[in-house]
Amino acid sequence: MAAEPAAPNGLEVDFLASSARALADPQLRRNFRRAMDGLMAKRAAVFPDPSEWTRLRALGGAIRAKNLLKLPDLLERLEKNLTKNGITVHWASTTAQANQVVLELLEARGVKALVKGKSMVSEEMGLNHFLGAHGVESLESDLGEYIIQLDGEMPSHIIMPAIHKNKDQIARTFSEKIRNAKYTEEVDELTAMARAVLRQKFFEAGAGLSGVNFAVADTGTLCLVENEGNGRMSTHVPPLHIALMGLEKVVERLDEVAPLYSLLTRSATGQAISTYLNLISGPRSGGERDGPREVHLVILDNGRSRIFQDPELRATLACIRCGACMNHCPVYTRIGGHAYEAVYPGPIGSILTPQQEGAGLWHELPHASSLCGACAEVCPVGIPIPHLLIRLRREAGHRVPGSTVLGAGSARSRLEDLAWSVWGWVLGHPAAYRLASWCATRCWRLLPSRAPVLEAWTRSRHKPRMAGASLQERLRRSGVPDA
Ligand code: SF4
């Protein structure tokens, strides 16, 4: 069993309390319901042919599985070819190391302002906060990220970070937080306000930062999928471009990107293709008039190589971050992303976060599922999410010899352990078993409906009803002899 690190910054997580708060917020629930219904309908419309979906998904899953099998080799090849293309590669085992790499790159060039395209890895790193503490302004340029940055919030969805807000709420934020902004609920006017602020920042910033959707090992190409053009601006206008990626994002060949890209855009937003697909193969060369003068890639591990060691849990790393599992999850659609209190919410977060940050601290997340299987059904690369949820539930709460899960067994309950030991002993002793069933069938009525020990169960369910006699007694009464 791998030891679990202490919670970062004394972080305390309480999924039950935060989800109860979310459920009590009718506006939040309306916002999510409307948004998720829309996303589900759009996705269904772009996968009209089930056989095409099945074939494409099998191809996408096979590509990701093959790439993960060859991961160490592909990462070496990627570094070699990126370097050949003039892109400098940095490796970071932890988020602290990755933050330090970014800071040193900025400090060495005297950069005090950074514009950011969307990057979930930067959320993992808490990069904005870290840079702010070191005197560097880091401005989100993705519209959704910009909105939540104004409000000091975390993303509530990996593709649409401000999906928890409606138009009125965004209008209020803009009128309060953007200088000289008037109150308007017109989407075009709101977008124009954000654009007016951001456009100027692209030209003033000393560096731009982006995520990476796929990194192609054979060609040394970074692929960036986006709709707003802010990714292209962040990566092309400032003189320095820093890209961040988790080490699992590597694919072997450029032709493998096409099916994954199609699965990603269709599953994420119901688009056949996104507005922009940026293929970055190096800094500006001699005769070129635009593009950054330097490109750096930071490859982050942060627990991924440990996940990679387990042949079953490795499937988690196949994720292409489309968000479809969230959009279709009956839990996520009711409580929204913030209730998970994690960088990655929804079904993918419920399998990824406990593995990255420890099953002790995050042991409630694998239980945040009805196990209906909708997430696995829509996952474009076929990750068996419910199966992995069940495994993480078991290994968080029990000592499983040889478990590779970080903090396995650290959510054990002594009371539960005792109950199972007693139950095991009773099952092994027929006389005790007969006595226990006799007592249970006669005495269950004496249990108060709201006994504290049963409260978590009976709060939303009826107290269990026992039969009037045990099966053995009933068989005996019907003349069946004891075995
Ligand atoms: S687990 Fe599957 S459905 Fe969920 S974000 Fe990842 S690729 Fe998309």
Side-chain angles (χ1 to χ4, degrees):
M1 180 188 90
E4 185 171 0
N9 308 321
L11 175 71
E12 280 188 21
V13 291
D14 188 344
F15 174 72
L16 291 182
S18 58
S19 52
R21 277 196 301 278
L23 287 171
D25 182 342
Q27 183 63 60
L28 182 85
R29 296 190 62 180
R30 273 198 298 278
N31 294 351
F32 268 98
R33 185 73 273 166
R34 195 171 42 236
M36 297 302 118
D37 284 350
L39 286 168
M40 284 194 288
K42 282 185 188 165
R43 178 194 166 276
V46 288
F47 286 117
D49 177 356
S51 61
E52 191 250 359
W53 155 248
T54 309
R55 272 199 313 275
L56 187 58
R57 175 159 104 140
L59 177 61
I63 291 172
R64 289 303 289 136
K66 182 206 72 169
N67 289 326
L68 286 175
L69 264 182
K70 298 170 139 186
L71 187 61
D73 168 51
L74 292 187
L75 285 168
E76 278 181 25
R77 243 193 279 171
L78 177 70
E79 181 178 26
K80 198 171 107 224
N81 288 321
L82 285 170
T83 309
K84 214 189 287 172
N85 290 345
I87 298 176
T88 310
V89 177
H90 308 260
W91 299 89
S93 300
T94 63
T95 55
Q97 284 176 8
N99 278 328
Q100 198 54 40
V101 170
V102 174
L103 181 65
E104 282 171 14
L105 287 171
L106 299 177
E107 282 182 343
R109 290 151 189 82
V111 175
K112 287 286 170 203
L114 173 83
V115 274
K116 276 185 70 212
K118 189 160 171 22
S119 156
M120 287 308 293
V121 167
S122 75
E123 300 289 342
E124 260 180 65
M125 293 159 57
L127 181 67
N128 287 351
H129 181 76
F130 176 82
L131 291 180
H134 288 83
V136 179
E137 181 201 17
S138 174
L139 183 76
E140 298 287 351
S141 63
D142 172 272
L143 184 57
E145 290 282 353
Y146 177 65
I147 294 165
I148 58 168
Q149 188 178 33
L150 286 176
D151 274 339
E153 294 179 347
M154 280 169 64
S156 61
H157 190 285
I158 60 173
I159 297 291
M160 283 146 293
I163 198 85
H164 55 289
K165 292 182 185 292
N166 62 17
K167 236 179 348 174
D168 319 359
Q169 291 167 316
I170 295 168
R172 234 182 353 261
T173 296
F174 276 26
S175 66
E176 287 166 9
K177 310 260 168 80
I178 299 179
R179 198 175 332 144
N180 300 331
K182 61 168 188 173
Y183 183 92
T184 173
E185 290 174 16
E186 284 302 316
V187 175
D188 287 347
E189 289 182 38
L190 290 168
T191 313
M193 276 182 215
R195 188 180 294 132
V197 175
L198 293 170
R199 180 91 11 177
Q200 191 53 31
K201 295 283 184 181
F202 286 122
F203 295 108
E204 291 169 2
L209 187 135
S210 74
V212 173
N213 291 94
F214 310 107
V216 184
D218 275 359
T219 56
T221 309
L222 305 178
C223 308
L224 186 57
V225 180
E226 51 137 350
N227 276 316
E228 298 173 15
N230 68 303
R232 189 162 291 183
M233 295 288 278
S234 305
T235 56
H236 283 67
V237 178
L240 167 67
H241 169 209
I242 303 172
L244 302 176
M245 72 171 231
L247 56 74
E248 78 282 18
K249 289 293 180 75
V250 62
V251 296
E252 186 168 16
R253 300 192 318 257
L254 196 55
D255 63 1
E256 291 172 342
V257 171
L260 294 175
Y261 173 60
S262 176
L263 284 164
L264 173 62
T265 58
R266 291 207 262 174
S267 303
T269 48
Q271 291 172 283
I273 55 168
S274 57
T275 315
Y276 298 91
L277 170 62
N278 303 294
L279 302 180
I280 298 164
S281 300
R284 174 196 305 205
S285 60
E288 286 175 337
R289 296 178 58 193
D290 62 4
R293 294 201 157 76
E294 278 182 78
V295 181
H296 293 255
L297 172 69
V298 183
I299 301 179
L300 176 65
D301 185 329
N302 193 26
R304 290 166 170 85
S305 51
R306 188 186 51 255
I307 299 172
F308 172 76
Q309 299 302 327
D310 187 298
E312 188 176 51
L313 296 173
R314 182 182 298 160
T316 312
L317 302 177
C319 176
I320 56 171
R321 305 283 191 268
C322 70
C325 55
M326 300 173 190
N327 308 343
H328 292 75
C329 173
V331 176
Y332 177 89
T333 52
R334 280 161 183 80
I335 62 174
H338 287 160
Y340 292 79
E341 301 182 316
V343 169
Y344 298 97
I348 179 60
S350 296
I351 56 171
L352 181 58
T353 310
Q355 294 186 67
Q356 273 192 309
E357 296 185 26
L361 182 63
W362 297 98
H363 67 99
E364 283 173 333
L365 292 190
H367 294 271
S369 168
S370 63
L371 299 180
C372 66
C375 50
E377 229 170 82
V378 297
C379 177
V381 287
I383 300 175
I385 298 174
H387 182 73
L388 301 183
L389 287 170
I390 292 169
R391 177 160 166 202
L392 290 167
R393 285 181 186 185
R394 191 174 63 242
E395 296 189 18
H398 300 95
R399 288 212 186 284
V400 176
S403 173
T404 56
V405 175
L406 181 66
S410 53
R412 281 167 72 210
S413 148
R414 290 194 188 288
L415 193 63
E416 191 183 332
D417 279 355
L418 180 68
W420 286 116
S421 308
V422 171
W423 181 236
W425 184 85
V426 168
L427 284 180
H429 296 79
Y433 180 77
R434 272 194 293 276
L435 179 65
S437 1
W438 188 92
C439 290
T441 50
R442 269 74 183 178
C443 306
W444 67 271
R445 281 173 214 279
L446 302 178
L447 271 178
S449 323
R450 291 291 170 122
V453 67
L454 293 178
E455 223 259 329
W457 178 261
T458 55
R459 199 167 37 216
S460 56
R461 300 173 184 86
H462 294 300
K463 189 174 71 171
R465 283 170 66 93
M466 299 280 178
S470 71
L471 179 63
Q472 280 180 328
E473 286 175 285
R474 292 168 69 180
L475 289 173
R476 214 174 298 124
R477 273 186 224 145
S478 341
V480 179
D482 277 352

